[in-house]
Amino acid sequence: TEIYTLSLHDALPISQVAAPVIHRSLPGPVADIQWFSAAYTLPFALLLITGGRIGDIAGRRRTFRVGVTAFVVASACCALATSAALLITCRAVQGAAAALVIPQTFGLIKAMFDGPELGRALGTIGPVMGLAAISGPILGGVLTHALTWRSVFLVNVPLGIAVLAMAPLLREDRAAHRPRLDVTGTLLAVAGLGLLIYPLIENHAYALMVAGAAILVGFAAHQRRSPSPLVELSLFRNRGFPAALVTSLLFFTVMTGAMLVIVLNVELTGHADARGAGLTLIPWSAGMALASVVAGAHLVERFGPRLMYAGLVLLAAGLLGYAAWPSPVTLALSGLGLGTFTVPFFTTALHRVRPAETGSAAGLLNAVQQLGGTVGVAVLGTVFFHAGAHRALWLAAAILAAAAVTVAAMTHDGAHDHDGGGPTGRP
């Protein structure tokens, strides 16, 4: 179930590989290529906080099952789409459904494990993301080339049905004191984030970003006054979790945006087909999977959060190397950086979250992750179209340098955590 849940993140890269082919099949403006991805990530990012809270209220297993069912139906509709506008609409529904599913993963893990087992369970997230990262782009390229781009979405249907059949094995879990859903807070968060991101994708109406930022300030003020806030304010009593949110935003901006740049560079500049683009990413995905497994099994226990710095350095070196010399070696180096970073990041960010904060923390962390993905598609994709892959990847490396600063704040706080945990996040 965890593999399927985290592979919902790969509904993005699997469609990125197929996006140019879809654009040729369903003609429209070139911006549609970005919207095939952004239409998924935007509602995903906007509704993840609410999805986490709904799990607190209605039960995480129940919410998980509803979300998977909706995702399966939306995937079938994507496969049957007859126009770019209809596909983009169905992708948005997919993203909204996934927003119900993803936050429940972390909550269910925390409900089923405790003590040292919890740290090990959270440590499996990185390797599973690596496995999903392998299957996403490769499967997207092979299916698109061998069959049709529609099969990229149809593959979700049998997988989703299998997961629904296994869902009764999960333990039901909800908040001990069930909160009410903060409808006003939800509307403010959706409006603010939407106005902030939309101009980045469409490259105009930047005044909307100012309005979005103002609405988010109003959202923060509303959360302080609300008797049942959408976001647990206790998460912000120290700087560790806020620093983790900023780190997640920066890191996943690079991870998602750089993957899009590499795929577009191979297909549009290198004139490869979808299968070729998917196979090109094998070193990237294999490096991520290998590093995730090694980090989870050995390195995190020895080096703790300091391992995140090594991941950032490896990823930056790989991206800059690819900008100068596109090759499987530089892609593999980038993948090693991704895997080396993700395992200690998730373990450190989530280990100290209390049970009452689980829904909010999981929703926030995943929302910021998907927000980063949307920003990455918008910003790095735009730089690629206007200035080429070289400048887009140099910008990605600069963003990783900023992430190193926020990692320092995140790990410094963890060393003085109130629960007595060590720097690795273990009790």
Side-chain angles (χ1 to χ4, degrees):
T1 301
E2 182 183 329
I3 290 174
Y4 178 78
T5 302
L6 290 175
S7 70
L8 292 189
H9 288 292
D10 287 290
L12 178 60
I14 197 172
S15 66
Q16 285 179 343
V17 172
V21 176
I22 297 172
H23 182 60
R24 289 193 292 269
S25 175
L26 304 175
V30 69
D32 282 352
I33 294 177
Q34 288 173 281
W35 272 110
F36 292 148
S37 296
Y40 180 89
T41 57
L42 186 56
F44 195 7
L46 298 183
L47 297 174
L48 274 164
I49 301 174
T50 304
R53 199 46 138 184
I54 290 174
D56 288 337
I57 298 169
R60 306 190 206 288
R61 185 178 67 180
R62 179 184 301 175
T63 305
F64 176 87
R65 295 171 76 171
V66 170
V68 171
T69 301
F71 188 86
V72 167
V73 173
S75 296
C77 292
C78 286
L80 299 174
T82 56
S83 68
L86 181 58
L87 176 60
I88 289 170
T89 300
C90 294
R91 289 285 282 162
V93 176
Q94 260 193 324
L100 291 177
V101 177
I102 294 294
Q104 315 319 322
T105 302
F106 299 103
L108 290 168
I109 288 175
K110 289 183 72 67
M112 297 172 71
F113 301 96
D114 54 26
E117 288 187 345
L118 176 59
R120 288 194 291 270
L122 290 173
T124 65
I125 292 174
V128 169
M129 288 186 72
L131 177 61
I134 288 179
S135 63
I138 297 175
L139 189 62
V142 170
L143 287 176
T144 301
H145 181 85
L147 299 173
T148 168
W149 63 263
R150 299 180 188 277
S151 61
V152 167
F153 300 106
L154 278 177
V155 73
N156 292 315
V157 176
L159 292 176
I161 292 173
V163 168
L164 289 172
M166 292 185 291
L169 299 176
L170 298 171
R171 180 188 302 172
E172 183 59 283
D173 179 58
R174 59 171 57 89
H177 301 286
R178 294 168 63 181
R180 298 192 308 271
L181 182 62
D182 182 2
V183 177
T184 302
T186 297
L187 294 175
L188 288 172
V190 168
L193 290 172
L195 291 173
L196 202 62
I197 295 301
Y198 178 79
L200 291 175
I201 299 170
E202 283 295 307
N203 299 312
H204 62 70
Y206 290 103
L208 294 177
M209 297 179 68
V210 177
I215 291 174
L216 289 177
V217 171
F219 167 74
H222 170 76
Q223 293 300 283
R224 296 180 65 87
R225 298 191 305 269
S226 175
S228 184
L230 193 64
V231 175
E232 291 290 343
L233 299 181
S234 57
L235 290 168
F236 297 90
R237 287 176 182 164
N238 56 62
R239 69 183 182 182
F241 190 76
L245 294 178
V246 178
T247 302
S248 180
L249 175 68
L250 297 173
F251 177 78
F252 285 99
T253 292
V254 171
M255 177 177 172
T256 306
M259 181 179 287
L260 175 66
V261 168
I262 291 168
V263 168
L264 292 177
N265 187 59
V266 170
E267 292 196 39
L268 300 182
T269 304
H271 306 292
D273 57 20
R275 181 180 63 176
L279 295 177
T280 297
L281 290 173
I282 288 179
W284 168 291
S285 302
M288 181 177 180
L290 175 63
S292 296
V293 172
V294 173
H298 305 289
L299 300 182
V300 171
E301 185 173 0
R302 182 174 180 181
F303 298 105
R306 290 175 296 170
L307 195 60
M308 287 187 278
Y309 293 111
L312 293 176
V313 170
L314 287 171
L315 178 55
L319 294 179
L320 292 177
Y322 185 86
W325 178 48
S327 70
V329 173
T330 51
L331 286 176
L333 186 61
S334 300
L336 290 172
L338 291 169
T340 302
F341 179 88
T342 52
V343 176
F345 172 74
F346 282 110
T347 303
T348 304
L350 290 170
H351 189 84
R352 295 175 175 83
V353 172
R354 298 182 178 91
E357 302 168 334
T358 299
S360 264
L364 272 172
L365 195 62
N366 280 283
V368 170
Q369 178 179 335
Q370 293 307 309
L371 182 61
T374 304
V375 172
V377 168
V379 174
L380 296 184
T382 299
V383 172
F384 169 81
F385 282 121
H386 288 84
H390 184 272
R391 290 192 179 181
L393 294 177
W394 272 90
L395 175 58
I399 295 172
L400 291 175
V405 177
T406 62
V407 166
M410 179 181 170
T411 55
H412 178 77
D413 182 82
H416 299 86
D417 191 82
H418 59 76
D419 70 2
T424 64
R426 298 186 303 275

